[in-house]
Amino acid sequence: MIDENKQINNTSQQLGEPTEVKQAMKSDSPAHINFNESGSEVTEQVAAQTNISGDTTVNSENSVAATEKTEVERAALAELTQQIESVKTQLEDRSTQYMRIAADFENYRKRTSKEKEDLELQVKRNTILELLPIVDNFERARSHLKPQSDAEMTMHKSYQGVYKQLVDSLKRLGVSPMRPEGQEFDPNLHEAVMREPTDEHPEGTVLEELVRGYYLGDRVLRHAMVKVAAPKEDTPFAPEDQSSSASS
């Protein structure tokens, strides 16, 4: 080691280097340390720049990824919105179709109910019309029969019981008789089969009911056959000369 220092000193003397430089070279040189420190600082700066550049690149990639994600989310949201609108349209169509079907069914129900009522009424009407001639015959018999003996009276009471039972049954079915005497003739209720000239009643007054009419509920079951008042015709006056000539 001593030989190496001596050799360095000799070399320095030959080159004319100052003693401080030689001393500095012998010991741990501060300049050498500063050089190492400067290198570390440069390395740190380069690393920092590298880190900054890396961070910038990462941030740029993250920004691009976020942009792409946002676009994907927007596209998905737009698609969902379109699907919702389509479902709403279908729901409105189904609701309209349901309301139309419900209205058609309600109309069908009302129509069938009305047809059923009309059919039942027509069947009842036809059945009662078949029974009315029997009632007419009972009434004619009652007006003509004049019981004299006890046996005839017993038969008459039995007959009256059957007639009353029949009339009560018709009443329960909604049948009621017309009472047109003294009323004005109405072609919707009455059928004029006779005209009687009279000055006791106004023209068109119903004088007599020949065949009884009936209602079924508030509808006409059978028109009443009636005799109607007509104006009384005055006897034409014959002149005396015509009478004399006729006599001669």
Side-chain angles (χ1 to χ4, degrees):
M1 183 68 181
I2 295 173
D3 293 336
E4 288 177 358
N5 291 333
K6 287 181 179 181
Q7 186 178 358
I8 290 170
N9 292 330
N10 293 328
T11 304
S12 300
Q13 288 177 358
Q14 290 175 1
L15 294 175
E17 292 179 353
T19 306
E20 293 84 359
V21 175
K22 289 187 293 182
Q23 292 178 354
M25 291 177 65
K26 291 178 183 178
S27 62
D28 293 331
S29 173
H32 181 71
I33 295 173
N34 292 333
F35 176 77
N36 292 333
E37 293 177 355
S38 298
S40 298
E41 293 177 356
V42 170
T43 303
E44 292 176 357
Q45 292 177 358
V46 171
Q49 292 178 357
T50 303
N51 292 332
I52 293 172
S53 177
D55 293 339
T56 304
T57 303
V58 172
N59 292 333
S60 178
E61 292 177 353
N62 292 336
S63 178
V64 172
T67 303
E68 293 178 353
K69 183 178 180 181
T70 303
E71 293 178 355
V72 171
E73 290 178 350
R74 288 179 180 176
L77 181 61
E79 184 178 359
L80 290 175
T81 303
Q82 185 177 1
Q83 292 178 359
I84 291 172
E85 293 297 329
S86 177
V87 171
K88 285 183 179 179
T89 303
Q90 293 178 4
L91 179 60
E92 291 177 357
D93 293 340
R94 295 296 184 274
S95 298
T96 303
Q97 185 178 3
Y98 169 76
M99 294 176 65
R100 188 182 299 111
I101 292 174
D104 292 340
F105 177 77
E106 182 66 19
N107 293 332
Y108 169 77
R109 187 187 65 79
K110 290 181 179 179
R111 185 172 63 254
T112 52
S113 178
K114 183 66 167 56
E115 291 176 354
K116 182 180 178 182
E117 291 177 359
D118 293 342
L119 181 60
E120 292 177 352
L121 181 61
Q122 187 64 32
V123 172
K124 183 188 293 186
R125 177 187 176 89
N126 294 336
T127 303
I128 295 173
L129 284 174
E130 293 293 330
L131 296 176
L132 290 181
I134 302 175
V135 178
D136 296 337
N137 291 330
F138 268 107
E139 291 178 351
R140 292 190 188 99
R142 185 180 62 174
S143 63
H144 289 88
L145 290 177
K146 303 295 182 181
Q148 300 295 331
S149 63
D150 294 338
E152 292 178 353
M153 183 60 66
T154 302
M155 184 180 298
H156 181 70
K157 289 181 179 180
S158 300
Y159 149 78
Q160 289 294 332
V162 175
Y163 171 73
K164 184 177 184 301
Q165 184 179 1
L166 180 59
V167 171
D168 291 340
S169 299
L170 292 177
K171 286 181 179 180
R172 285 193 297 269
L173 292 174
V175 179
S176 58
M178 295 182 183
R179 304 295 182 186
E181 291 89 348
Q183 298 180 1
E184 184 179 358
F185 175 79
D186 185 353
N188 296 319
L189 304 176
H190 312 138
E191 181 181 354
V193 294
M194 292 182 64
R195 288 171 61 87
E196 181 178 338
T198 179
D199 55 0
E200 296 180 359
H201 301 280
E203 181 183 3
T205 303
V206 176
L207 299 178
E208 183 181 356
E209 183 183 39
L210 304 177
V211 178
R212 179 162 294 177
Y214 291 93
Y215 296 103
L216 179 59
D218 56 351
R219 298 183 181 183
V220 176
L221 177 62
R222 187 178 74 177
H223 292 75
M225 296 182 182
V226 296
K227 180 169 63 176
V228 183
K232 189 173 183 180
E233 297 179 356
D234 295 332
T235 303
F237 178 75
E240 292 183 357
D241 54 353
Q242 293 181 0
S243 302
S244 300
S245 60
S247 299
S248 60

